[in-house]
Every structure is written in C-alpha cells, then in structure tokens.
C-alpha cells in the first residue's frame, strides 16, 4: 500500500507562501546593527518549515536552496555573524526566488533554477567570508573539544510514514549540526509475513556533539513531535575530553550501526515524493490566487447559529402547513414567513462576512515594493498605511492588487521628487506615500496619496493637443485635464522609465478597476502632490440594483451608478448630430441612450414624454438611460455570463429574479462604448458635435 502525497501539496504550498510573506515582512522590520533576536528567530522558523516541508515532499530544488539561506540566518541568530544591509537585500532576493520556485511547482512546471543557482553562489560567498567582528562558525562536522554532547532517542509511532514524514531527512539534518553517531534498533520489526511498507518499526538513538543548543535540536523534530516519542538529554562530551555515555549492553545486542551494517535497511519511503510533471512548454510562473480563506471561529459560530435559527423557523412553518387554514393560522404563517426572510437575510450577511478579509492582505506587499524602488531611485520614502483592517471581498482584493501596484510605482517614480529637488523646494527630504482605505456607503474607497510635485496640467494638455486627442481650442478645467492621463498610451514622459511612466498603462489600470464595477479618479495640486481615489463595491457576489422595464424585459441598473431618475421635459431636449438627443439638466448636457434601441427590443415606449430617464454616471461622465418604467430596488446575486454563456457587450452579468426569470445587469461603461457615444469635453467627442453643444 502506498500513500499519494500529492493530496497534501496544496496545503504545503499555501503554508509556504504564508511563510514567505512572514519572512518578507519581518526582514523589512530589521535594522542592521539593531536586529531583534525574536524577529530573526521568526524568519528562521519560517525558512526551516519551508525547507522541511519541501524535503518531505521531494521538492529538492526548494530544500537545497532554502538550506543556504537558513545557514546564514542560523549564524546571525547564534550571534556568530553581524547582520548587514547586504544580508537583508540578499535574503529578500531569496524570498522572491523561493516564490518563483514554489509557484512553478504548484503550477506543475519545471522550475527555472538559474536565479536560484546564482543566489546560492552569493550565499556561499557570504558564508565563506569571515565576519567583521568575529570569525565565522567552524564547520559543524569538525568536532570541537568541550562541545556539548546530547543523547537523542527517537522512536516514531508506527503510522509515521502515513503522515508523509521520513526519518532519513531528520538524520541528515542532525548531521549538519555536528558530529553524529547513529544506532538503529530493530527489536520491534515483525516477521517478514507481517511487515507493512507504510509502517515504521525502527527506532534510533543518536549521540550528537554540537555547539548548538537543545532548542535547535528540537526544531529538527518539530514536524513529527506528535507522531513520535522523542527525548533529548545533555550527556557530556562524547567527542571531546569527557568519556562518552554508551548504550547498555541489552540495547547494544539489539542495535546495528547504519553505516556498517547491510543486514538491516531502513524501510523505504512508502510513497516516493512526487515531483509535479513538467510541461513540455515552459511558461512564466506566477503565484496562483489562493483557493482558500482562513476564517475566524467567531464567524463560523455565528453561521452555525444562523442555520439553527433557520431550521427552527422551517420547523414552525412545516407545523403550520399541517394545521387547518384559519385566520389565526394565516397570521402565524405570515409571521413565520417574515421570520424566514429575516433569517435568510442574516444568513446571507454572515456567509458574505466569511469572504471579507482585511485589506492589510493587499497593503502588506507595499513596504517591500516601496523599499526596493526607493533604493533603486535613490529616494527617501516613508510609507504610511491607514485603515488596514478595512474589510472587502477576497475576490475584489485579489483583482485590485495589480492596479494599486501600478499607481504606487508611478507615485514613487514620477510623483515624488529626489532628495535634492525636495530640499530645493523647501520640503522634507523624505517623501511620503500614503495608502488609505475606508468604507463609504456600500463601497470601499482606497486612496493612494503622495506629497510630490503633482501633475503638470500644462504639459498634459499640450501633449494631448499635439497627439490630436483634443482640439486646440478646447476649454478644460484642471480636473478634466488630469483625467486625460487615463487615455490609452498617453504619457508626458520624454524618456521611458523602466519602472513606470505617469500615464503609461493608466488606461489598463482604469479598465481593470471598471471590470470590478468600480471607478478611479485623480486630483492633484502642483508642488503639493496627487491623490488617486479608487471606489469599489465591497463584494462582486451581491449587487444593490434598480429594476427597470424596457419593452417586455426587465434589466438591473447598479444603484452605485445611478445619480437620479426623472421625467423628461421635452422643452429641454435638443438633437445633436443625426441621432443623439441631449437633455439640459442644471447647466449640464446629458446624452440620452435608448436601451430598447441598443438591445434591439420592439414594442418599447419610444415617446420621450411618456418614458423615464435614469441618469447614471461612470468615469465622471453622465448619461441618461431611457426606460419604460421603474420597478423595485433589491439586492441580487450576480451570475457570470462569461462563465455560463459568453461575454455580452453592455452587460456585466445576470441574476435570477424571485419569479424565476433571468434578468441582465447593465454595464454602464460598456453601454457608452456600445452606443458609440463619446465624452463631451474630451478627446472622445468629434469637433463638430462639441461645437454644437457649446452653441446650445
């Protein structure tokens, strides 16, 4: 019988990525020369766990690479080497390399060891160098006179192999701590007819001469401490000046030296560590999205309580259904249905809470990013994080991470000035980038702020005119000019930066945020700084929507997009171009989009004075959606069209209404593109139409 260890792979990868996050966060907290021993130990333990797990599962490339960085960490925590900035930088590079190796293995690809091999050479060079204040640690394999000797008894429980652990790996780790004498006992090995390949019948006694303490030895066995009987006793200097403590004669008669005996072999690993199969074509590996969520026990308890309430209500309704129908039972039935609705709503809210995670999971990646870029640009930067415990849906969090990275990189590269420029402007030489998150209504707002030089509105407008994106005589205010940076390919940079260019890729940032039913806007003041504000729904699973009727169909418009609903005053409607009507509303011109025309519906109300207009806004652009009637407002569960059908322009998803009908959810931004409407006051409107609007 063999064990398929691959069933444990996903847990190993998830815990390893968490360990790498811990290592990175703690490394960023280290101050060379003032290192905290507890912080060093935390980093060491994370590395040690990754090494042990990768060795157990046969990921030798990860285990071998982790060994060298673990050795450096061990020397630092033992006080044998003084931590330097170069050490921190090297360890951070190792964390990145390990992420790449693990991501490749998780994706069942053959990892590229080029970077790992290069970093190993650097680690070996550092380990071979003597410390500035103290000679480096003598090789552990060379016995030292007067070093401590420990007697270690290791008796695995018979089921040890079933946990995926292998004693040979632990013996190998003990050998790295000093000089090791190993004795194997086979008194519990049964007759060959009763042997089982997935059970361990051997146990061992070790004598280890080492300069390490007992805590370090215990860490070798931390993976199996619940699956074995382990004792560690200090017994003198086995390989030093003291006489060694020898096992008693009864034990000697049952023991055999592994190095000298060929009559007893350690049981072969019941299931050989399985390396993921390499794909024929190598693809760049990236850390896959986490497929699980850590949930607090309080949320689970609350969910169980809600289910209990639901069961009680259901039992009450079942009992009422069996009674004779009377006015009294009808009243009780109505009360029961109201209670059922209340319980269902509470259950829904509690289930949604399980998916809610603090945004600190996103914020935590930015200290490293800011540190690395600041070093590369030779800038002094302080990162401030506010609202780290603000919660949002896990799916939203995963998808907003990349746009935030791009915005922060832009702030660092082209928002903040150099130290010399800041001093010349009378500023603090240390620039500040602030990430702030808070709830506002049913949304989460994320602000990326810097106290840099701000956007150059004059240069932005000149570049837009030069690229024929807006007419030369267009009158735009500063906010409208700033919005131009979100146009595809727009940039004011004279030279392309390898980090970012304020404007380059901003259209991608905006598009990604819009795909989450969110919006992004920028405000800036020259010499003071810039603020990018992202607004997102708390979850992508539930939507607050307004149901509207168009012909015989029901559509849902997200409430977050709706500004107001009104009856149309025909006197304030003007025709622009061939088929565009606009409504003058408080000194604004609102283009009117006929949903029945866009979606090709017949039998809809076409007369403007007999319909309603739902004014919606996206990307600081307002349009009016013409509908036959307004229905109710309600929360709806979003179903993906792409997953169940295929992408439909102008539609972001679908839901199932209470009567069982499917209703489509309107994508306001997509509707504007689908209609061919362009934004007034920007490059997207033809000069002819713009002139007509200005003349009205």
């Amino acid at each position: 019988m063999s064990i398929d260890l691959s069933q444990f792979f996903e847990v190993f990868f998830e815990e390893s990525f968490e360990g790498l996050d811990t290592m990175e966060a703690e490394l960023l907290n280290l101050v060379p020369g003032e290192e905290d021993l507890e912080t060093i130990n935390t980093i060491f333990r994370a590395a040690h766990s990754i090494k042990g797990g990768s060795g157990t599962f046969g990921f030798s490339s990860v285990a071998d690479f982790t060994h060298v960085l673990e050795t450096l960490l061990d020397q630092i925590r033992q006080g044998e080497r003084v931590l330097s900035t170069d050490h921190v930088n090297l360890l951070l590079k190792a964390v990145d390399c390990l992420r790449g190796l693990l991501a490749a293995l998780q994706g069942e690809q053959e990892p590229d060891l080029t970077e790992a091999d290069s970093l190993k050479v650097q680690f070996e060079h550092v380990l071979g160098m003597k410390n500035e204040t103290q000679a480096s640690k003598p090789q552990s394999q060379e016995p030292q006179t007067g070093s401590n000797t420990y007697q270690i008894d290791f008796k695995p429980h018979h089921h040890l192999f079933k946990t995926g652990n292998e004693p040979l790996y632990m013996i190998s780790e003990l050998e790295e701590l000093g000089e090791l004498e190993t004795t194997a006992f086979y008194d519990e090995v049964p007759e060959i007819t009763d042997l089982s390949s997935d059970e361990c019948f051997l146990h061992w006694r070790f004598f280890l001469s080492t300069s390490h303490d007992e805590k370090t030895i215990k860490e070798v066995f931390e993976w199996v401490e619940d699956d074995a009987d382990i004792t560690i006793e200090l017994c003198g200097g086995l390989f030093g000046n003291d006489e060694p403590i020898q096992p008693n004669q009864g034990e000697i008669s049952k023991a055999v030296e592994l190095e000298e005996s060929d009559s007893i072999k350690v049981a072969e690993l019941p299931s050989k560590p399985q390396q993921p199969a390499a794909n024929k074509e190598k693809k760049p590996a990236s850390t896959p999205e986490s497929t699980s969520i850590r949930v607090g026990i309080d949320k689970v308890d609350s969910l169980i309580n809600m289910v209990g309430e639901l069961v009680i209500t259901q039992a009450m309704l079942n009992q009422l259904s069996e009674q004779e129908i009377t006015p009294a039972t009808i009243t009780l039935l109505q009360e029961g249905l109201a209670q059922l609705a209340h319980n269902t709503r509470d259950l829904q809210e509690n289930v949604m809470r399980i998916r809610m995670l603090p945004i600190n999971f996103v914020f935590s990646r930015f200290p490293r990013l800011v540190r690395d870029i600041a070093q590369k640009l030779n800038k002094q930067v302080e990162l401030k994080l506010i609202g780290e415990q603000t919660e949002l849906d896990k799916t939203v969090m995963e998808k907003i991470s990349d746009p935030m990275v791009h915005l922060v990189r832009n702030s660092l590269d082209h928002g903040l000035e150099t130290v010399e420029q800041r001093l010349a402007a009378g500023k603090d030489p240390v620039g500040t980038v602030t990430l702030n998150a808070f709830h506002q209504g049913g949304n989460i707002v994320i602000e990326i702020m810097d106290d840099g030089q701000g956007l150059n509105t004059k240069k932005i407008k000149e570049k837009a005119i030069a690229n024929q994106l807006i007419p030369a005589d267009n009158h735009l205010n500063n906010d409208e000019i700033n919005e131009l940076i979100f146009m595809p390919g727009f940039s004011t940079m004279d030279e392309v930066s390898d980090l970012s260019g304020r404007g380059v890729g901003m259209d991608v940032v905006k598009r990604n945020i819009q795909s989450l039913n969110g919006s992004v806007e920028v405000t800036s003041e020259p010499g003071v700084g810039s603020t990018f504000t992202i607004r997102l729904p708390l979850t992508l699973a539930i939507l607050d929507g307004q149901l509207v009727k168009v012909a015989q169909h029901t559509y849902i418009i997200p409430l977050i997009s709706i500004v107001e609903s009104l009856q149309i005053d025909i006197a304030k409607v003007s025709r622009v171009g061939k088929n565009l009507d606009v409504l003058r509303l408080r000194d604004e011109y609102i283009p009117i989009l006929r949903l029945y025309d866009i979606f090709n519906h017949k039998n809809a109300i076409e007369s403007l004075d007999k319909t309603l207009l739902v004014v919606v806004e996206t990307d600081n652009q307002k349009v009016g959606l013409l509908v036959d009637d307004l229905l109710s407002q309600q929360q709806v569960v979003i179903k993906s069209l792409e997953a169940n059908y295929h992408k439909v322009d102008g539609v972001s998803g679908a839901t199932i209404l209470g009567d069982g009908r499917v209703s489509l959810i309107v994508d306001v931004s997509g509707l504007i593109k689908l209609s061919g409407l362009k934004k007034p006051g920007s490059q997207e409107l033809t000069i002819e139409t713009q002139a007509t609007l200005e003349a009205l």
Side-chain angles (χ1 to χ4, degrees):
M1 177 181 177
S2 62
I3 302 173
D4 180 12
L5 293 183
S6 63
Q7 61 184 304
F8 305 112
F9 282 175
E10 200 57 42
V11 175
F12 162 72
F13 287 125
E14 188 167 322
E15 292 183 349
S16 295
F17 285 126
E18 288 180 1
L20 291 174
D21 290 341
T22 299
M23 290 177 66
E24 181 176 89
E26 296 298 339
L27 283 167
L28 294 173
N29 290 331
L30 287 176
V31 178
E34 303 176 11
E35 57 269 19
D36 178 23
L37 183 58
E38 183 55 38
T39 300
I40 296 291
N41 283 330
T42 300
I43 299 169
F44 177 85
R45 285 193 295 269
H48 185 72
S49 295
I50 293 172
K51 173 188 170 183
S54 56
T56 298
F57 292 113
F59 301 135
S60 57
S61 59
V62 176
D64 293 344
F65 179 71
T66 311
H67 174 68
V68 292
L69 67 96
E70 182 189 53
T71 303
L72 176 59
L73 288 167
D74 189 41
Q75 291 184 2
I76 294 172
R77 74 184 188 129
Q78 296 293 339
E80 299 170 4
R81 187 177 295 274
V82 176
L83 180 73
S84 69
T85 301
D86 290 340
H87 294 154
V88 174
N89 291 337
L90 186 58
L91 288 166
L92 285 170
K93 289 180 181 178
V95 169
D96 292 340
C97 181
L98 280 171
R99 276 201 184 98
L101 295 176
L102 289 168
L105 291 168
Q106 187 178 23
E108 298 187 355
Q109 300 175 17
E110 190 68 30
D112 186 349
L113 300 179
T114 304
E115 183 182 6
D117 292 339
S118 175
L119 287 173
K120 279 181 70 175
V121 172
Q122 296 181 50
F123 272 105
E124 290 165 357
H125 175 70
V126 170
L127 294 172
M129 296 171 57
K130 290 189 175 181
N131 195 29
E132 295 177 0
T133 59
Q134 181 179 353
S136 62
K137 171 184 172 184
Q139 294 295 321
S140 60
Q141 285 77 7
E142 298 178 8
Q144 304 172 51
T145 301
S147 62
N148 290 327
T149 300
Y150 294 88
Q151 176 180 315
I152 306 163
D153 289 308
F154 175 47
K155 186 175 183 179
H157 299 161
H158 289 177
H159 67 266
L160 179 74
F161 291 151
K162 297 179 181 179
T163 66
N165 289 292
E166 166 55 54
L168 288 178
Y169 292 133
M170 299 167 215
I171 296 174
S172 177
E173 285 201 48
L174 286 175
E175 287 178 333
E176 295 172 3
L177 298 180
E179 187 165 334
L180 184 70
E181 181 178 311
T182 305
T183 303
F185 299 89
Y186 57 97
D187 53 297
E188 294 186 5
V189 176
E191 297 295 329
I192 193 168
T193 54
D194 298 324
L195 279 175
S196 174
S197 63
D198 60 356
E199 291 188 275
C200 180
F201 298 103
L202 296 177
H203 54 105
W204 291 266
R205 169 165 292 173
F206 308 104
F207 288 98
L208 174 66
S209 178
T210 178
S211 60
H212 293 277
D213 57 12
E214 184 176 335
K215 181 181 178 182
T216 304
I217 299 173
K218 286 182 177 179
E219 288 175 351
V220 173
F221 300 98
E222 63 182 354
W223 288 80
V224 296
E225 56 186 11
D226 295 328
D227 301 297
D229 298 325
I230 305 166
T231 59
I232 303 173
E233 297 179 355
L234 184 64
C235 60
L238 175 62
F239 302 107
N241 296 329
D242 300 332
E243 288 297 320
I245 294 178
Q246 299 289 351
N248 61 51
Q249 294 300 314
E251 290 171 332
I252 292 177
S253 65
K254 297 178 181 179
V256 58
E257 295 292 339
L258 287 178
E259 295 88 349
E260 299 176 0
S261 172
D262 56 2
S263 59
I264 297 293
K265 295 183 179 179
V266 176
E268 185 178 353
L269 194 64
S271 172
K272 295 181 180 179
Q274 301 174 13
Q275 291 277 10
N279 290 349
K280 294 181 179 179
E281 295 182 8
K282 289 186 178 181
K283 295 178 282 188
S286 58
T287 304
E289 293 182 356
S290 175
T291 56
S292 62
I293 304 175
R294 291 187 181 272
V295 180
I297 192 65
D298 59 321
K299 293 184 178 180
V300 176
D301 289 341
S302 179
L303 191 62
I304 292 174
N305 290 335
M306 290 298 100
V307 172
E309 294 290 333
L310 198 61
V311 170
I312 292 172
T313 304
Q314 181 189 28
M316 179 186 69
L317 291 172
N318 284 338
Q319 185 178 5
L320 286 172
S321 68
E322 297 173 356
Q323 297 180 9
E324 182 181 354
I325 298 178
T326 65
T329 56
I330 291 176
T331 300
L332 291 174
L333 183 61
Q334 290 173 334
E335 292 176 354
L337 290 173
Q339 183 63 37
L340 179 65
H342 175 74
N343 291 342
T344 303
R345 185 168 56 252
D346 286 348
L347 182 62
Q348 173 189 308
E349 292 175 355
N350 277 269
V351 169
M352 294 309 301
R353 281 183 60 216
I354 289 179
R355 293 181 59 91
M356 303 295 280
L357 298 173
I359 200 171
N360 184 50
F361 283 90
V362 176
F363 280 8
S364 62
R365 69 185 298 179
F366 289 102
R368 170 71 185 285
L369 178 74
V370 171
R371 176 188 183 274
D372 290 351
I373 294 179
Q375 281 189 348
K376 186 171 185 178
L377 298 174
N378 197 25
K379 294 181 179 180
Q380 296 182 19
V381 184
E382 177 187 3
L383 175 66
K384 294 183 178 180
L385 303 178
I386 305 173
E388 298 168 84
Q389 296 307 310
T390 304
E391 291 188 334
L392 75 161
D393 189 277
K394 174 179 179 287
T395 304
V396 180
M397 185 181 302
E398 289 172 343
K399 293 184 177 180
I400 195 58
S401 181
D402 287 343
M404 285 185 63
V405 166
H406 192 91
L407 292 174
V408 170
R409 288 167 69 96
N410 272 278
S411 292
L412 293 168
D413 194 8
H414 301 299
L416 295 180
E417 311 94 329
T418 63
V419 173
E420 295 76 17
Q421 289 172 333
R422 294 182 67 86
L423 289 173
K427 291 184 172 182
D428 189 316
V430 180
T432 302
V433 172
T434 304
L435 302 183
N436 182 27
F438 56 92
H439 287 150
Q440 190 178 76
N443 303 318
I444 183 172
V445 178
I446 304 171
E447 295 178 330
I448 297 98
M449 300 174 280
D450 67 67
D451 64 349
Q453 56 194 342
L455 293 174
N456 189 331
T457 53
K458 180 181 178 181
K459 192 171 185 179
I460 292 173
K461 186 174 182 180
E462 289 175 349
K463 198 63 174 282
I465 294 173
N467 291 347
Q468 298 183 342
L469 299 173
I470 60 173
D473 58 350
N474 200 314
H475 302 292
L476 302 176
N477 59 39
N478 286 344
D479 289 338
E480 290 174 329
I481 293 174
N482 289 337
E483 288 293 325
L484 297 177
I485 68 172
F486 293 109
M487 293 161 49
F490 183 85
S491 175
T492 59
M493 299 306 300
D494 298 320
E495 296 181 2
V496 178
S497 166
D498 62 343
L499 283 174
S500 61
R502 191 179 285 273
V504 174
M506 285 295 187
D507 62 314
V508 178
V509 171
K510 187 173 186 176
R511 187 163 60 249
N512 289 344
I513 292 172
Q514 287 177 340
S515 70
L516 300 173
N517 296 324
S519 64
V520 58
E521 58 188 44
V522 58
T523 58
S524 180
E525 185 175 346
V528 177
S530 302
T531 299
F532 288 87
T533 304
I534 302 172
R535 286 183 174 84
L536 296 165
L538 291 180
T539 176
L540 298 181
I542 301 290
L543 173 75
D544 289 317
Q546 171 69 58
L547 276 64
V548 299
K549 181 181 178 184
V550 181
Q552 69 272 31
H553 302 279
T554 300
Y555 287 92
I556 297 172
I557 302 175
L559 279 180
I560 187 177
S561 302
I562 298 178
V563 178
E564 59 183 307
S565 302
L566 50 89
Q567 288 184 317
I568 299 174
D569 184 351
I570 296 296
K572 295 182 179 180
V573 176
S574 302
R575 175 60 60 96
V576 178
K578 295 180 180 180
N579 55 4
L580 175 63
D581 290 328
V582 295
L583 172 68
R584 182 164 184 168
L585 182 64
R586 292 183 292 275
D587 298 324
E588 287 185 279
Y589 290 99
I590 310 298
I592 298 174
L593 301 184
R594 290 172 164 81
L595 287 183
Y596 69 83
D597 199 19
I598 294 175
F599 292 129
N600 196 27
H601 293 321
K602 297 181 179 180
N603 302 321
I605 301 175
E606 299 185 14
S607 179
L608 293 180
D609 59 347
K610 296 181 180 179
T611 57
L612 294 174
L613 193 70
V614 180
V615 180
V616 295
E617 183 176 17
T618 181
D619 307 330
N620 294 324
Q621 178 180 5
K622 292 180 182 178
V623 297
L625 304 181
L626 198 66
V627 301
D628 292 2
D629 197 7
L630 295 179
L631 304 177
S632 62
Q633 294 181 3
Q634 67 182 59
Q635 280 192 335
V636 297
V637 179
I638 302 173
K639 302 294 183 181
S640 170
L641 277 183
E642 294 186 52
N644 298 287
Y645 181 52
H646 61 72
K647 181 174 176 58
V648 177
D649 292 334
V651 175
S652 62
T655 191
I656 300 175
L657 301 178
D659 59 5
R661 290 184 299 153
V662 174
S663 179
L664 300 180
I665 301 169
V666 171
D667 174 14
V668 177
S669 180
L671 271 184
I672 294 174
K673 294 179 181 178
L674 190 63
S675 67
L677 179 68
K678 304 302 179 182
K679 180 179 176 182
S682 79
Q683 82 289 351
E684 298 180 353
L685 191 66
T686 65
I687 296 177
E688 177 187 2
T689 306
Q690 175 65 25
T692 304
L693 280 176
E694 292 176 351
L696 291 175

